[in-house]
Amino acid sequence: MVGSSHEALHRIFQKDPALLTRALQRVLDVPFPEPREIAALNVDLTEIEPVERRVDTLLRAETDEGTYLLVVESQGKVDDRKRGSWPYYLSYLYEKYRCEPVLIVITQSSATARWASRPIRLGFPGWHSLTVRPLVLGPDNVPVITSERQAERDVPLAVLSAMTHGRGPQAPAILESLASALRTIDPDSAAVFVQFVDSCLADPQAKQMWRDLMTAIQYFWRHPLAEQVREEGREQGRAETKAEMILRILEWRGIPVPDAVRERVSACTDLDQLEVWAQRAVHAKDAAELFVEQ
């Protein structure tokens, strides 16, 4: 199970390695050649036993223009000690594999993105022995995907959008579009993506909205994070929990909930009826639409 946003931010590229080259081409406008094949490599860069060095994700991309090593580093905050290790990673990998390493940093923080994007120059002014220029993916350049159609066209990119922008004001629209797009892919991949997003959502309200959305479309119950919600459901009663979930979805989508609607939903004990209302809550434009027969 993914235990932190740090893990999810780079492991999504292990799940879909091709997403990384698409992000370089479309988000950063870097003319990276189209890979014929991408393979994950051992991330352990330890050279001497007492000194252990590991990159977060390491991929090998075979292209018509040559072989490249894609070094993905997930960075939560400014850390000059970590930044100092990047030139070592690239030099070591070049020496070991004899192909070109490319450093990609991914972060949820704009300030960290600005810090990470600064070139690292080793040497003296006017004559740098080594220059490292990280490619950075962050909230300032990863697209905000709020359209269901756009999310369905590239679900992994929509997942990256949710992971990167999950704390911003557009989080509800991003999460809603992704929730709908997950229905269009195989359930096993969807369950993995659900976990990545859940791990990266630092805002408690956004995380709760995501879990409500996933419960409504039956994905959330397929992965380990659901156990906590299951326990809560056993204590409070399944109908009561489902009713609260419906009301939270409406409120998080910015839809006013009149007292009459709140009372009718809260009083309902029919699980099948509550499930129907939960499905409608994801797309309703007005709270009263919960009760309109299709």
Side-chain angles (χ1 to χ4, degrees), residues 260-277:
V261 172
R262 187 179 302 276
E263 291 171 4
R264 182 172 175 181
V265 171
S266 299
C268 182
T269 57
D270 184 334
L271 288 173
D272 291 337
Q273 182 62 72
L274 288 168
E275 176 62 28
V276 171
W277 290 346

Side-chain angles (χ1 to χ4, degrees), residues 38-100:
I38 297 182
L41 303 179
N42 191 331
V43 299
D44 191 347
L45 305 185
T46 305
E47 188 172 13
I48 304 174
E49 282 300 325
V51 182
E52 181 176 308
R53 299 181 186 272
R54 291 178 181 270
V55 297
D56 289 332
T57 286
L58 180 61
L59 304 170
R60 182 180 60 226
E62 302 285 352
T63 78
D64 291 336
E65 298 178 19
T67 300
Y68 297 89
L69 298 177
L70 304 180
V71 185
V72 185
E73 286 285 280
S74 173
Q75 195 67 32
K77 61 182 180 180
V78 172
D79 182 353
D80 287 330
R81 288 180 60 86
K82 183 61 176 292
R83 180 179 169 87
S85 67
W86 290 340
Y88 170 85
Y89 291 168
L90 301 182
S91 299
Y92 175 85
L93 289 169
Y94 180 77
E95 174 64 21
K96 181 176 181 178
Y97 293 100
R98 288 296 171 178
C99 51
E100 303 292 339

